[in-house]
């Protein structure tokens, strides 16, 4: 997939979900409780918290909803009802319901997700304490972060433009609901017909468009833990004694001084592919 298509899609999601990673490729599944490693400006799978013996209960943290993003109004979408003629459509049959998507700016995107839900770790402070214990024993690498929040979607459709004037005709599959067609009707239920200068054309179901996570705050570990107790080394150093209760108390009472969110690099694909 061309880098321009990724950047257009990434910008679209960043405008809505700033500070979140976007799953790439779009078929990649990410779950709360996954462990990922920072690598080459992105992140790659590195197991799970459960696989390391760490329990992190999760639950809903946001109400369900939909998003339809059209690159700051630079995308025009015209709909065609089944059995009706519509100006500008060239490939859809008269019986088809569909949409004509036209881009007025290059490297822009149309992103439609429906049935979105947000789930997250219920007790980040408890998770922070567990990560401190692993760090103390030398069992947790600073390049690792734990996925603590995931936005999932029941279905989605994404198109990106390689240049201004790009266009595509989409056939809507299945029965349309009552009332006029709208952007949400395109999510996960279209077939792509003719297309011109379109980069990414993708549709699917059961997705995790966005996620974010936490890691032990590097400055805290370096300036407060290592400076006070020394470095972690097999057989000596930090791992020779139990974790100081003071560190665990700080995680309970001032969790965001101990852990930090891991932000994405907007210029690189974040799925490791």
């Amino acid at each position: 997939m061309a880098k321009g298509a990724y950047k257009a899609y990434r910008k679209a999601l960043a405008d809505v979900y700033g500070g979140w990673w976007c799953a790439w490729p779009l078929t990649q599944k990410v779950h709360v409780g996954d462990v990922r490693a920072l690598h080459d400006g992105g992140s790659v799978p590195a197991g799970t918290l459960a696989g390391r013996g760490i329990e992190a209960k999760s639950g809903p943290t946001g109400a369900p909803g939909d998003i339809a993003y059209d690159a700051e109004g630079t995308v025009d979408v015209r709909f065609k009802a089944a059995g009706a003629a519509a100006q500008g459509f060239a490939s859809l049959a008269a019986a088809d319901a569909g949409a004509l998507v036209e881009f007025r700016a290059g490297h822009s995107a149309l992103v439609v997700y429906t049935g979105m839900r947000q789930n997250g770790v219920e007790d980040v402070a408890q998770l922070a304490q567990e990560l401190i214990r692993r760090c103390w024993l030398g069992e947790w690498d600073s390049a690792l972060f734990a996925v603590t929040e995931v936005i999932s979607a029941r279905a989605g459709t994404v198109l990106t433009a390689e240049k201004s004037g790009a266009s595509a005709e989409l056939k809507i599959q299945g029965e349309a609901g009552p009332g006029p067609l709208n952007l949400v009707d395109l999510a996960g239920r279209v077939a792509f017909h003719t297309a011109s200068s379109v980069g990414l054309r993708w549709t699917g179901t059961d997705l995790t468009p966005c996620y974010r996570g936490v890691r032990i705050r590097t400055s805290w570990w370096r300036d407060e833990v290592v400076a006070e107790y020394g470095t972690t080394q097999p057989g000596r150093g930090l791992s020779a004694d139990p974790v100081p209760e003071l560190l665990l108390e700080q995680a309970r009472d001032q969790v965001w001084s101990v852990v930090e969110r891991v932000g994405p690099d907007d210029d690189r694909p974040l799925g490791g592919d």
Side-chain angles (χ1 to χ4, degrees):
M1 182 59 61
K3 185 178 181 180
Y6 165 75
K7 293 187 73 172
Y9 173 69
R10 171 61 194 152
K11 182 181 185 304
L13 280 196
D15 283 351
V16 182
Y17 296 109
W20 292 70
W21 303 79
C22 68
W24 190 265
L26 297 178
T27 52
Q28 183 181 117
K29 296 298 293 293
V30 182
H31 305 89
V32 174
D34 284 353
V35 175
R36 299 184 69 87
L38 299 175
H39 176 71
D40 193 25
S43 76
V44 294
T48 65
L49 292 174
R52 289 169 165 79
I54 300 174
E55 182 180 9
K57 294 182 179 180
S58 64
T61 56
D66 309 317
I67 67 167
Y69 178 90
D70 71 348
E72 300 176 350
T74 62
V75 183
D76 294 322
V77 182
R78 284 184 282 164
F79 291 96
K80 175 188 174 305
Q87 185 177 1
F89 287 80
S91 66
L92 296 184
D96 294 334
L100 173 62
V101 180
E102 297 175 304
F103 294 87
R104 290 183 279 109
H107 305 298
S108 58
L110 174 67
V111 179
V112 182
Y113 284 118
T114 189
M116 302 186 77
R117 293 181 178 273
Q118 184 174 331
N119 274 50
V121 170
E122 294 177 349
D123 192 340
V124 176
Q126 182 180 29
L127 173 60
Q129 293 173 67
E130 291 299 324
L131 296 185
I132 289 171
R133 290 189 178 97
R134 296 310 191 278
C135 284
W136 186 265
L137 297 173
E139 297 173 354
W140 186 267
D141 190 279
S142 60
L144 298 177
F145 69 92
V147 176
T148 53
E149 292 177 273
V150 166
I151 294 176
S152 60
R154 184 175 65 251
T157 294
V158 179
L159 293 90
T160 65
E162 292 184 346
K163 62 181 182 180
S164 177
S167 64
E169 286 189 35
L170 288 63
K171 176 184 175 181
I172 297 176
Q173 300 175 314
E175 291 293 328
L181 295 169
N182 56 55
L183 285 173
V184 173
D185 291 310
L186 303 179
R189 49 181 303 210
V190 298
F192 298 100
H193 279 233
T194 57
S196 174
S197 300
V198 172
L200 174 62
R201 290 177 290 172
W202 184 89
T203 187
T205 58
D206 189 21
L207 319 163
T208 52
C210 303
Y211 61 96
R212 61 184 179 182
V214 300
R215 65 179 175 186
I216 295 294
R217 186 177 290 275
T218 304
S219 59
W220 176 79
W221 187 259
R222 180 191 64 239
D223 299 339
E224 298 192 32
V225 181
V226 174
E228 176 68 22
Y229 302 98
T231 58
T232 301
Q233 297 181 24
R236 70 178 195 65
L238 297 181
S239 59
D241 299 306
V243 183
E245 185 61 30
L246 179 65
L247 301 182
L248 301 179
E249 289 178 358
Q250 189 171 354
R252 284 195 299 268
D253 301 335
Q254 304 173 50
V255 62
W256 295 111
S257 71
V258 171
V259 297
E260 61 186 351
R261 296 199 189 280
V262 185
D265 179 340
D266 288 351
D267 294 327
R268 295 172 183 263
L270 306 177
D273 292 281

